[in-house]
Amino acid sequence: MKQLLYSLDPENFGGLQEKYTDYAKSKIVVVPIPFDSTACSSPGQRFGPEALISASAGLELYDEEIDFEVHKEGICTTEHMECVRANVEENNLRIKKILQEFLDDGKFVVTLGGDHSITYGILSAFAGQSKLKPFSILQLDAHADVATDAEGSKYTHACVMRRAREDFTDSIVQVGLRSVSKEEIEYNKENIFLAIDLRKNFEAKIPEIIARLKHENVYITFDVDALDPSEMPATGTPEPGGLHYYDVLALLKAVCKEKNVIGFDCVELMPLPGNDAPNTVAAKIIYKLLGYKFKFLK
Ligand SMILES: [Mn+2]
């Protein structure tokens, strides 16, 4: 009778057995933040973390590209954060407090969103770590997210990168933008790589992108709407003409080889009922990025 029954995959990033998820032994900590109160056109990003974790359980753990199994470094997925839905600033303070502890313990912290507003809270935790500073930010996104304020707040997902530049770093490199105003381009001109300029030969542009990252330490914020909607329809503000899976991987791999990646987030996944493929796309990019980070550890 027993052999006719089976267990579901454990609920953690990678669907890993317990021996790979112990906090003390894990080099990587994955923190789910189901917050979407600042999403404008379509909410639902609060279901992103759960969908990413669920999709990740189906991933092959061996990365044939780099001959590496990053899960053996230990990946501890925490409980989901109890979000403060009515107050984005309070929510960010809570994120900071939680992440601070994992960073103090020397963990490599990956955050699963949630809308892009959470990146401010995440960055405030990273900025509190003197050993990680100064850092540049590599932002993969369809939008610049540099509004002065939006809908009565300075901390929505539309403002997050302007706040980041004011409060945390003088170096933000934005890749994949294609729904962007003239003023937004002006704001960070030398450090913007528009999707239209990347479409012909993405890989040839990678050295230029890396050269624009001023600091050795690099934080990566990956807004899934950077991807083309044909590969990533599951997001609140999809834009045509986006980046492609292998291009994104090539960039992430190069950054991990040449810089010290200090952490990253994946935001704005808005799962679509009945179509789990985009969740797998995002989960796999996260897993691949972890592999690159630890394979090419500096
Ligand atoms: Mn964004």
Side-chain angles (χ1 to χ4, degrees):
M1 184 64 185
K2 214 173 170 190
Q3 57 269 44
L4 297 178
L5 303 171
Y6 73 99
S7 305
L8 295 174
D9 285 321
E11 281 287 310
N12 61 60
F13 193 83
L16 306 176
Q17 301 163 27
E18 224 173 284
K19 61 177 172 176
Y20 297 122
T21 63
D22 177 61
Y23 179 81
K25 287 190 228 150
S26 293
K27 292 185 185 164
I28 300 157
V29 172
V30 175
V31 188
I33 312 223
F35 181 79
D36 61 7
S37 302
T38 86
C40 46
S41 42
S42 318
Q45 295 80 354
R46 73 178 65 179
F47 304 113
E50 198 185 336
L52 287 167
I53 289 167
S54 167
S56 72
L59 296 176
E60 167 60 52
L61 297 172
Y62 172 68
D63 186 329
E64 77 287 357
E65 179 196 9
I66 54 172
D67 183 27
F68 196 61
E69 293 173 305
V70 71
H71 72 285
K72 291 184 176 166
E73 306 293 319
I75 305 176
C76 172
T77 305
T78 71
E79 301 294 320
H80 295 232
M81 189 179 96
E82 181 77 46
C83 292
V84 191
R85 303 207 191 283
N87 189 331
V88 59
E89 289 171 63
E90 201 55 46
N91 195 63
N92 279 333
L93 287 174
R94 194 171 282 193
I95 294 170
K96 179 184 180 185
K97 194 169 165 192
I98 290 172
L99 264 52
Q100 215 163 275
E101 186 182 324
F102 305 141
L103 293 171
D104 285 345
D105 288 345
K107 305 297 183 186
F108 184 82
V109 176
V110 178
T111 314
L112 309 179
D115 73 50
H116 214 157
S117 69
I118 67 167
T119 300
Y120 186 88
I122 299 165
L123 291 170
S124 40
F126 277 81
Q129 301 285 316
S130 52
K131 61 181 187 297
L132 302 180
K133 287 199 297 185
F135 58 80
S136 294
I137 298 174
L138 173 64
Q139 176 195 3
L140 275 61
D141 209 313
H143 315 89
D145 298 347
V146 294
T148 315
D149 57 78
E151 298 169 344
S153 169
K154 292 170 75 181
Y155 295 93
T156 79
H157 69 161
C159 314
V160 62
M161 299 320 289
R162 183 178 287 253
R163 295 292 94 76
R165 193 164 136 192
E166 289 168 353
D167 296 347
F168 306 124
T169 179
D170 57 350
S171 167
I172 299 177
V173 177
Q174 301 174 291
V175 177
L177 308 194
R178 56 199 186 275
S179 173
V180 62
S181 71
K182 204 166 176 169
E183 292 75 25
E184 287 172 324
I185 292 176
E186 211 50 54
Y187 182 71
N188 192 28
K189 205 169 184 175
E190 302 79 55
N191 300 307
I192 289 177
F193 293 83
L194 298 172
I196 189 86
D197 297 328
L198 293 169
R199 84 198 153 100
K200 280 196 183 135
N201 192 348
F202 187 98
E203 294 204 24
K205 293 273 187 187
I206 290 176
E208 273 180 63
I209 296 172
I210 291 177
R212 296 310 307 174
L213 293 161
K214 181 172 165 186
H215 304 294
E216 169 63 16
N217 293 333
V218 176
Y219 180 86
I220 300 173
T221 182
F222 171 45
D223 184 326
V224 298
D225 70 25
L227 291 165
D228 192 78
S230 60
E231 296 172 33
M232 179 46 67
T235 191
T237 45
E239 289 290 339
L243 308 180
H244 297 292
Y245 176 72
Y246 279 116
D247 291 336
V248 167
L249 291 186
L251 174 60
L252 297 176
K253 186 175 169 186
V255 176
C256 286
K257 276 183 164 175
E258 289 177 45
K259 295 285 187 175
N260 179 37
V261 174
I262 58 172
F264 68 88
D265 60 63
C266 175
V267 295
E268 298 287 350
L269 179 74
M270 187 193 75
L272 300 174
N275 182 7
D276 291 341
N279 311 345
T280 302
V281 170
K284 184 143 184 174
I285 290 173
I286 294 167
Y287 190 76
K288 296 277 293 181
L289 177 49
L290 284 172
Y292 298 148
K293 166 66 192 170
F294 284 88
K295 171 84 181 188
F296 307 117
L297 204 58
K298 308 197 84 175

